[in-house]
Amino acid sequence: QGTTIAFGTMERDADAPVEIVSDELSINDASDTAVFSGNVVIAQNDMRLAAPRVEVIYLADRSGIDRLIATGGVTMVSGDEAAEADRADYSVEAGTVLLTGNVLMTQGRSSLVSERATINLDDGTAQMDGRVRTILQTGEN
Amino acid sequence: MSAASRSTGAKTVERYSRFVAWAKVILPLAALALLSTLFLLAKPNDPEKSIPYARVDIEDRIREPRVTAPLYAGVTSDGASLSVRAISATPEPGSEGTADVDRLSATIETAEGQRFELEAPSGRVQDSVTALLDGGVTVRTSDGYRMETEAIESALNKTYLATRDTVRAEGPLGRLTAGRMEVTTDAAGGGTLMVFNEGVRLIYLPQGDEEN
């Protein structure tokens, strides 16, 4: 079963520039791949996605970026919500982020754990599925 | 005809033949004299002075030997064809294969067909092994990247480019700046590897949903 929760601000400007900062970027023309590595941070509007490695999937006509595959442990922040997962698949055009593997969503004091989460940046929602468990922090910490 | 007319006729014939005899002597002499004046009066022209050339260029060349429009072309060890062209090259005295080069452009075409075109206002070829381009280099690659940096080093015997400091690039991935860029052949997968490091910052403008 899936749970839909709010994640991040409502309207996202799909045309806002995407900024990617990293230690290194290597582009191989033969295999047509581009890989950011080393403290990679992807930022668009107020969404930040950090990972040690991000691979670029080009659009069909190579005129731009279709998706960014972040692997090696991803942390994502949007507005005042945060999420962690093993892997994230950020589709720039569609404005969705698919988190997979040990997804942990924290919202204020409570956090949710699941196998997968699909975050829709446009309407600021997150759809979690795959053994969703909620952990409530009781009492003051 | 009467005797008188016959005798005067004979006299005129005899006078005419004497005239002809004299003419046969005087006319050739006159021709000879005319011909000789042609050579006597002609201006003596000295072949040495008649060819005009400027002495400036020669002194300049003697002082600083220069090659104009040099072209260096070769194939690198990993199968890329490379050519360097310049406006002029000033060889370093006493060294083999080292020269300062003005306004050079270099083209590297890798075995897989990827092209790098470099242009720089000045540069230096060192022992015909590496070329340092400086003074503001622009690099264009066949897969749509255009890069600008202050100076770049290019090996002449293998595919190797390395910038000396920050580089700005624009291409399919958007606009990016990096501390350094290096182009080498990727031993594992083949093809060339363009590596930006020492801090990469890229701005990508999504095409937006309406357009595609």
Side-chain angles (χ1 to χ4, degrees), chain A residues 12 14-31 34 36 44 56 58-59 62-66 92-94 122, chain B residues 110 112-114 143-145 172-173 176 186 189-210 212:
Chain A
R12 169 197 87 117
D15 297 342
V18 176
E19 184 196 358
I20 305 176
V21 176
S22 74
D23 292 347
E24 185 177 291
L25 159 66
S26 81
I27 299 167
N28 184 321
D29 78 310
S31 53
F36 290 89
Q44 186 181 37
V56 174
Y58 286 102
L59 282 172
R62 256 183 72 73
S63 63
I65 300 178
D66 180 21
V92 179
E93 294 304 325
D122 287 338
Chain B
T110 64
E112 288 79 25
Q114 196 190 6
D143 55 1
Y145 279 94
L173 268 183
L176 74 95
D186 173 13
T192 46
L193 205 57
M194 234 181 341
V195 177
F196 296 89
N197 41 33
E198 286 173 24
V200 176
R201 188 165 167 278
L202 177 126
I203 311 276
Y204 168 67
L205 299 175
Q207 257 99 31
D209 306 338
E210 313 79 32
N212 54 9

Coordinates of all heavy atoms in Angstrom, one line a residue, chain A residues 12 14-31 34 36 44 56 58-59 62-66 92-94 122, chain B residues 110 112-114 143-145 172-173 176 186 189-210 212:
Chain A
R12 N 6.5 24.2 -8.4 CA 8.0 24.2 -8.7 C 8.1 24.8 -10.1 O 7.4 24.5 -11.0 CB 8.5 22.8 -8.7 CG 9.9 22.6 -9.2 CD 10.2 21.2 -9.6 NE 9.7 20.9 -10.9 CZ 10.6 20.5 -11.9 NH1 11.9 20.5 -11.6 NH2 10.1 20.2 -13.1
A14 N 9.4 24.6 -13.3 CA 10.1 23.5 -14.1 C 11.2 24.0 -14.9 O 12.2 23.3 -15.2 CB 9.1 22.8 -15.0
D15 N 11.2 25.3 -15.2 CA 12.2 25.9 -16.1 C 13.4 26.5 -15.3 O 14.3 27.0 -15.9 CB 11.6 26.9 -17.1 CG 10.6 26.3 -17.9 OD1 10.6 25.0 -18.0 OD2 9.7 27.0 -18.5
A16 N 13.3 26.4 -14.0 CA 14.4 27.0 -13.2 C 15.7 26.3 -13.6 O 15.7 25.1 -13.8 CB 14.0 26.9 -11.7
P17 N 16.8 27.0 -13.6 CA 18.0 26.4 -13.9 C 18.4 25.3 -12.9 O 18.2 25.5 -11.7 CB 19.0 27.5 -14.0 CG 18.4 28.6 -13.3 CD 16.9 28.5 -13.4
V18 N 19.0 24.2 -13.4 CA 19.5 23.2 -12.5 C 21.0 23.4 -12.3 O 21.7 23.6 -13.3 CB 19.2 21.8 -13.1 CG1 19.8 20.7 -12.3 CG2 17.8 21.6 -13.4
E19 N 21.4 23.5 -11.1 CA 22.8 23.8 -10.9 C 23.4 22.5 -10.3 O 22.9 21.9 -9.4 CB 23.0 24.9 -9.9 CG 24.5 25.3 -9.7 CD 24.7 26.1 -8.5 OE1 23.7 26.5 -7.8 OE2 25.8 26.4 -8.2
I20 N 24.5 22.0 -10.9 CA 25.2 20.8 -10.4 C 26.6 21.2 -10.0 O 27.3 21.8 -10.8 CB 25.2 19.7 -11.5 CG1 23.8 19.5 -12.0 CG2 25.8 18.5 -10.9 CD1 23.7 18.5 -13.1
V21 N 27.0 21.0 -8.8 CA 28.3 21.3 -8.3 C 29.0 19.9 -7.9 O 28.3 19.1 -7.3 CB 28.2 22.2 -7.1 CG1 29.6 22.5 -6.5 CG2 27.6 23.5 -7.5
S22 N 30.2 19.7 -8.3 CA 30.9 18.5 -7.9 C 32.4 18.7 -7.9 O 32.9 19.7 -8.4 CB 30.5 17.4 -8.9 OG 31.2 17.6 -10.1
D23 N 33.1 17.7 -7.4 CA 34.6 17.8 -7.5 C 35.0 17.5 -9.0 O 36.0 18.1 -9.4 CB 35.3 16.8 -6.6 CG 35.0 17.1 -5.1 OD1 34.5 18.2 -4.9 OD2 35.2 16.3 -4.3
E24 N 34.4 16.6 -9.6 CA 34.9 16.2 -10.9 C 33.7 15.9 -11.9 O 32.6 15.4 -11.4 CB 35.8 14.9 -10.8 CG 36.4 14.5 -12.1 CD 37.4 13.3 -11.8 OE1 38.4 13.5 -11.2 OE2 37.0 12.2 -12.3
L25 N 33.9 16.1 -13.2 CA 32.9 15.7 -14.2 C 33.7 15.0 -15.3 O 34.7 15.7 -15.8 CB 32.2 16.9 -14.7 CG 31.5 16.7 -16.1 CD1 30.4 15.7 -16.0 CD2 31.0 18.1 -16.6
S26 N 33.4 13.8 -15.6 CA 34.1 13.2 -16.8 C 33.1 12.8 -17.8 O 32.1 12.2 -17.6 CB 34.9 12.0 -16.3 OG 34.1 10.9 -16.2
I27 N 33.5 13.2 -19.1 CA 32.6 13.0 -20.2 C 33.3 12.1 -21.2 O 34.4 12.4 -21.6 CB 32.3 14.4 -20.9 CG1 31.6 15.3 -19.9 CG2 31.5 14.2 -22.1 CD1 31.5 16.7 -20.4
N28 N 32.7 11.0 -21.5 CA 33.3 10.0 -22.4 C 32.5 10.1 -23.7 O 31.3 9.8 -23.7 CB 33.3 8.6 -21.9 CG 34.0 7.7 -22.8 OD1 33.9 7.8 -24.0 ND2 34.8 6.8 -22.2
D29 N 33.2 10.5 -24.8 CA 32.4 10.7 -26.0 C 32.0 9.4 -26.7 O 30.9 9.2 -27.2 CB 33.2 11.6 -27.0 CG 34.2 10.7 -27.7 OD1 34.9 10.0 -27.0 OD2 34.2 10.6 -28.9
A30 N 32.9 8.4 -26.5 CA 32.6 7.1 -27.2 C 31.3 6.5 -26.6 O 30.3 6.2 -27.3 CB 33.7 6.1 -27.1
S31 N 31.3 6.3 -25.3 CA 30.1 5.7 -24.7 C 29.1 6.7 -24.3 O 28.1 6.4 -23.7 CB 30.6 5.0 -23.4 OG 31.3 5.9 -22.6
A34 N 28.2 10.9 -19.1 CA 28.8 12.0 -18.4 C 28.6 11.7 -16.9 O 27.4 11.4 -16.5 CB 28.2 13.4 -18.7
F36 N 29.2 12.9 -12.9 CA 29.8 13.8 -11.8 C 30.2 13.0 -10.7 O 29.5 12.0 -10.3 CB 28.6 14.8 -11.4 CG 28.2 15.8 -12.4 CD1 27.2 15.5 -13.3 CD2 28.8 17.0 -12.4 CE1 26.8 16.4 -14.2 CE2 28.4 18.0 -13.4 CZ 27.4 17.7 -14.3
Q44 N 17.9 22.7 -7.6 CA 16.9 23.5 -8.4 C 15.9 24.1 -7.5 O 15.4 23.4 -6.6 CB 16.3 22.5 -9.4 CG 15.4 23.3 -10.4 CD 14.7 22.4 -11.4 OE1 14.3 21.3 -11.0 NE2 14.5 22.9 -12.6
V56 N 24.7 11.3 -15.8 CA 23.8 12.0 -16.6 C 23.2 11.1 -17.8 O 24.0 10.4 -18.4 CB 24.5 13.2 -17.3 CG1 23.5 14.0 -18.2 CG2 25.0 14.2 -16.2
Y58 N 21.4 11.6 -21.2 CA 21.0 12.6 -22.1 C 19.6 12.4 -22.7 O 19.1 11.3 -22.7 CB 22.0 12.6 -23.3 CG 23.4 13.2 -23.0 CD1 24.5 12.3 -22.8 CD2 23.7 14.5 -22.9 CE1 25.7 12.7 -22.5 CE2 24.9 15.0 -22.6 CZ 25.9 14.1 -22.4 OH 27.2 14.5 -22.1
L59 N 19.1 13.5 -23.2 CA 17.8 13.4 -24.0 C 18.1 12.6 -25.3 O 19.3 12.5 -25.7 CB 17.3 14.8 -24.4 CG 16.7 15.6 -23.3 CD1 16.4 17.1 -23.7 CD2 15.3 15.0 -22.9
R62 N 20.2 14.3 -27.7 CA 21.5 14.8 -27.1 C 21.4 16.3 -26.9 O 22.5 17.0 -26.9 CB 22.7 14.5 -27.9 CG 23.5 13.3 -27.4 CD 24.7 13.1 -28.2 NE 25.7 14.1 -28.1 CZ 26.5 14.3 -27.0 NH1 26.3 13.5 -26.0 NH2 27.4 15.2 -27.0
S63 N 20.2 16.9 -26.8 CA 20.2 18.4 -26.8 C 20.2 18.8 -25.3 O 20.2 20.0 -25.0 CB 19.0 18.9 -27.5 OG 17.9 18.4 -26.7
G64 N 20.1 17.9 -24.4 CA 20.1 18.3 -23.0 C 20.0 17.1 -22.1 O 20.2 16.0 -22.5
I65 N 19.7 17.4 -20.8 CA 19.7 16.3 -19.8 C 18.3 15.8 -19.7 O 17.3 16.5 -19.5 CB 20.2 16.8 -18.5 CG1 21.6 17.4 -18.6 CG2 20.1 15.8 -17.4 CD1 22.1 18.0 -17.3
D66 N 18.1 14.4 -19.7 CA 16.8 13.8 -19.5 C 16.7 13.5 -18.0 O 15.8 13.9 -17.3 CB 16.7 12.6 -20.4 CG 15.3 12.0 -20.2 OD1 14.4 12.7 -19.7 OD2 15.1 10.8 -20.5
V92 N 14.7 15.4 -14.9 CA 14.6 16.9 -14.9 C 13.4 17.4 -15.6 O 12.7 18.2 -15.2 CB 15.9 17.4 -15.6 CG1 15.9 18.9 -15.6 CG2 17.1 16.9 -14.8
E93 N 13.1 16.7 -16.8 CA 12.0 17.2 -17.6 C 10.7 17.0 -16.9 O 9.9 17.9 -16.7 CB 12.0 16.5 -18.9 CG 13.2 16.8 -19.8 CD 13.4 18.3 -20.1 OE1 12.4 18.9 -20.2 OE2 14.5 18.7 -20.1
A94 N 10.5 15.8 -16.3 CA 9.2 15.5 -15.7 C 9.1 16.1 -14.3 O 8.0 16.2 -13.8 CB 9.0 14.0 -15.7
D122 N 6.5 19.0 -8.7 CA 5.6 20.0 -9.2 C 4.5 20.3 -8.2 O 4.3 21.4 -7.8 CB 5.0 19.6 -10.5 CG 6.0 19.7 -11.6 OD1 7.0 20.4 -11.4 OD2 5.9 19.0 -12.7
Chain B
T110 N 40.5 12.3 -33.3 CA 40.8 11.0 -32.7 C 40.4 9.9 -33.6 O 39.6 10.1 -34.5 CB 40.1 10.9 -31.3 OG1 38.7 10.9 -31.7 CG2 40.3 12.1 -30.4
E112 N 38.3 7.7 -33.1 CA 36.8 7.5 -33.1 C 36.1 8.7 -33.9 O 34.9 8.7 -34.0 CB 36.2 7.5 -31.7 CG 36.5 6.2 -31.0 CD 38.0 6.3 -30.4 OE1 38.4 7.5 -30.3 OE2 38.6 5.3 -30.3
G113 N 37.0 9.6 -34.4 CA 36.3 10.7 -35.2 C 35.9 11.9 -34.4 O 35.3 12.8 -34.9
Q114 N 36.4 12.0 -33.1 CA 36.0 13.2 -32.4 C 37.1 14.2 -32.7 O 38.3 13.9 -32.7 CB 36.0 12.9 -30.8 CG 35.3 14.1 -30.2 CD 35.4 14.0 -28.7 OE1 36.1 13.2 -28.1 NE2 34.7 14.9 -28.0
D143 N 31.6 17.3 -30.4 CA 30.3 17.0 -29.9 C 29.7 18.2 -29.2 O 29.0 18.1 -28.2 CB 30.4 15.8 -28.9 CG 31.4 16.1 -27.8 OD1 32.0 17.2 -27.9 OD2 31.7 15.2 -27.0
G144 N 30.1 19.4 -29.7 CA 29.3 20.6 -29.4 C 29.8 21.4 -28.2 O 29.1 22.2 -27.6
Y145 N 31.0 21.1 -27.7 CA 31.5 21.9 -26.5 C 32.4 23.0 -27.1 O 33.1 22.8 -28.0 CB 32.3 21.0 -25.6 CG 31.4 20.2 -24.7 CD1 31.1 18.9 -25.0 CD2 30.9 20.8 -23.5 CE1 30.2 18.2 -24.2 CE2 30.0 20.0 -22.7 CZ 29.7 18.8 -23.1 OH 28.8 18.1 -22.3
P172 N 26.3 20.7 -24.7 CA 25.0 20.0 -24.5 C 24.6 20.0 -23.0 O 23.4 20.0 -22.7 CB 25.2 18.6 -25.1 CG 26.4 18.7 -25.9 CD 27.2 19.9 -25.5
L173 N 25.6 20.0 -22.1 CA 25.3 19.8 -20.7 C 24.9 21.2 -20.1 O 24.5 21.3 -19.0 CB 26.4 19.2 -20.0 CG 26.4 17.7 -19.8 CD1 27.6 17.3 -19.0 CD2 25.2 17.2 -19.1
L176 N 29.4 25.5 -17.9 CA 30.1 25.0 -16.7 C 31.5 25.7 -16.6 O 32.1 26.1 -17.5 CB 30.2 23.5 -16.8 CG 31.3 22.8 -17.6 CD1 32.5 22.5 -16.9 CD2 30.7 21.5 -18.1
D186 N 40.6 7.2 -23.2 CA 40.1 6.4 -22.1 C 40.6 5.0 -22.4 O 40.1 4.3 -23.3 CB 38.6 6.4 -22.1 CG 38.0 5.4 -21.1 OD1 38.8 4.9 -20.3 OD2 36.9 5.1 -21.1
G189 N 37.5 2.0 -22.0 CA 36.4 1.9 -23.0 C 36.8 2.4 -24.4 O 36.0 2.3 -25.3
G190 N 38.0 3.0 -24.5 CA 38.2 3.6 -25.9 C 37.5 4.9 -25.9 O 36.8 5.3 -25.0
G191 N 37.8 5.7 -26.9 CA 37.2 7.0 -27.0 C 37.9 8.0 -26.1 O 38.8 7.6 -25.4
T192 N 37.6 9.3 -26.2 CA 38.4 10.2 -25.4 C 37.6 10.6 -24.2 O 36.4 10.6 -24.2 CB 38.6 11.5 -26.3 OG1 37.4 11.9 -26.9 CG2 39.7 11.3 -27.3
L193 N 38.3 10.9 -23.2 CA 37.7 11.2 -21.9 C 38.0 12.7 -21.6 O 39.2 13.1 -21.6 CB 38.4 10.3 -20.8 CG 37.6 10.0 -19.6 CD1 36.2 9.4 -19.9 CD2 38.4 9.1 -18.6
M194 N 37.0 13.5 -21.4 CA 37.2 14.9 -21.1 C 36.9 15.0 -19.6 O 35.7 14.8 -19.2 CB 36.2 15.7 -21.9 CG 36.8 16.8 -22.6 SD 35.8 17.9 -23.6 CE 34.2 17.2 -23.8
V195 N 37.9 15.3 -18.8 CA 37.7 15.3 -17.3 C 37.8 16.7 -16.8 O 38.9 17.4 -17.0 CB 38.7 14.4 -16.6 CG1 38.5 14.5 -15.1 CG2 38.5 13.0 -17.1
F196 N 36.8 17.3 -16.2 CA 36.9 18.6 -15.5 C 37.0 18.3 -14.1 O 36.3 17.5 -13.5 CB 35.6 19.4 -15.7 CG 35.3 19.7 -17.2 CD1 34.6 18.9 -18.0 CD2 35.7 20.9 -17.7 CE1 34.3 19.2 -19.3 CE2 35.5 21.2 -19.0 CZ 34.8 20.4 -19.8
N197 N 38.0 18.9 -13.4 CA 38.1 18.7 -12.0 C 38.5 20.0 -11.3 O 38.5 21.1 -11.9 CB 39.0 17.5 -11.6 CG 40.3 17.6 -12.5 OD1 40.7 18.6 -12.9 ND2 40.7 16.4 -12.8
E198 N 38.9 19.8 -10.0 CA 39.2 20.9 -9.1 C 38.0 21.9 -9.0 O 38.1 23.1 -9.3 CB 40.5 21.7 -9.6 CG 41.7 20.9 -9.3 CD 42.9 21.5 -9.9 OE1 42.9 22.7 -10.2 OE2 43.9 20.8 -10.2
G199 N 36.8 21.3 -8.8 CA 35.7 22.1 -8.5 C 34.9 22.4 -9.8 O 35.3 23.2 -10.6
V200 N 33.8 21.7 -10.0 CA 33.0 21.8 -11.2 C 31.7 22.5 -10.8 O 31.1 22.1 -9.8 CB 32.7 20.4 -11.9 CG1 31.8 20.6 -13.1 CG2 34.0 19.7 -12.2
R201 N 31.3 23.5 -11.6 CA 30.0 24.1 -11.4 C 29.2 24.2 -12.7 O 29.8 24.8 -13.6 CB 30.2 25.4 -10.7 CG 28.9 26.0 -10.2 CD 29.2 27.2 -9.3 NE 27.9 28.0 -9.1 CZ 27.5 28.9 -9.9 NH1 28.1 29.2 -11.0 NH2 26.3 29.5 -9.7
L202 N 28.1 23.5 -12.8 CA 27.4 23.5 -14.1 C 26.0 24.1 -13.9 O 25.3 23.9 -12.9 CB 27.3 22.1 -14.6 CG 26.5 21.9 -15.9 CD1 27.3 21.1 -16.9 CD2 25.2 21.1 -15.6
I203 N 25.6 24.9 -14.9 CA 24.2 25.4 -14.9 C 23.5 24.8 -16.1 O 24.0 25.0 -17.3 CB 24.2 27.0 -15.0 CG1 25.2 27.6 -14.0 CG2 22.8 27.5 -14.9 CD1 24.6 27.8 -12.7
Y204 N 22.4 24.1 -15.9 CA 21.7 23.6 -17.0 C 20.3 24.2 -17.1 O 19.6 24.3 -16.0 CB 21.6 22.0 -16.8 CG 20.6 21.4 -17.8 CD1 20.9 21.4 -19.1 CD2 19.4 20.9 -17.3 CE1 20.0 20.8 -20.0 CE2 18.5 20.3 -18.2 CZ 18.8 20.3 -19.6 OH 17.9 19.8 -20.5
L205 N 19.9 24.7 -18.2 CA 18.6 25.3 -18.4 C 17.7 24.2 -19.0 O 17.9 23.9 -20.2 CB 18.7 26.5 -19.2 CG 19.6 27.6 -18.7 CD1 19.7 28.8 -19.7 CD2 19.0 28.1 -17.4
P206 N 16.7 23.7 -18.2 CA 15.9 22.7 -18.8 C 15.1 23.3 -20.0 O 14.8 24.5 -20.0 CB 14.9 22.3 -17.7 CG 15.4 23.0 -16.4 CD 16.4 24.0 -16.8
Q207 N 14.8 22.4 -21.0 CA 14.1 22.9 -22.1 C 12.7 23.3 -21.7 O 12.0 24.0 -22.5 CB 14.0 21.9 -23.2 CG 15.0 22.1 -24.3 CD 16.2 21.2 -24.1 OE1 16.1 20.1 -23.5 NE2 17.4 21.7 -24.5
G208 N 12.2 22.8 -20.6 CA 10.8 23.1 -20.2 C 9.8 22.2 -20.9 O 10.1 21.7 -22.0
D209 N 8.7 21.9 -20.3 CA 7.8 20.9 -20.8 C 7.1 21.3 -22.1 O 6.9 20.6 -23.0 CB 6.7 20.5 -19.8 CG 7.4 20.1 -18.5 OD1 8.6 19.8 -18.6 OD2 6.8 20.3 -17.4
E210 N 6.8 22.6 -22.2 CA 6.0 23.1 -23.4 C 6.8 22.7 -24.6 O 6.2 22.3 -25.6 CB 5.7 24.6 -23.3 CG 5.3 25.1 -22.0 CD 6.5 25.3 -21.1 OE1 7.6 25.6 -21.6 OE2 6.3 25.0 -19.9
N212 N 9.1 20.4 -25.6 CA 9.2 19.1 -26.2 C 8.0 18.2 -25.9 O 7.0 18.8 -25.3 CB 10.5 18.4 -25.7 CG 10.5 18.4 -24.2 OD1 9.5 18.7 -23.6 ND2 11.7 18.1 -23.7

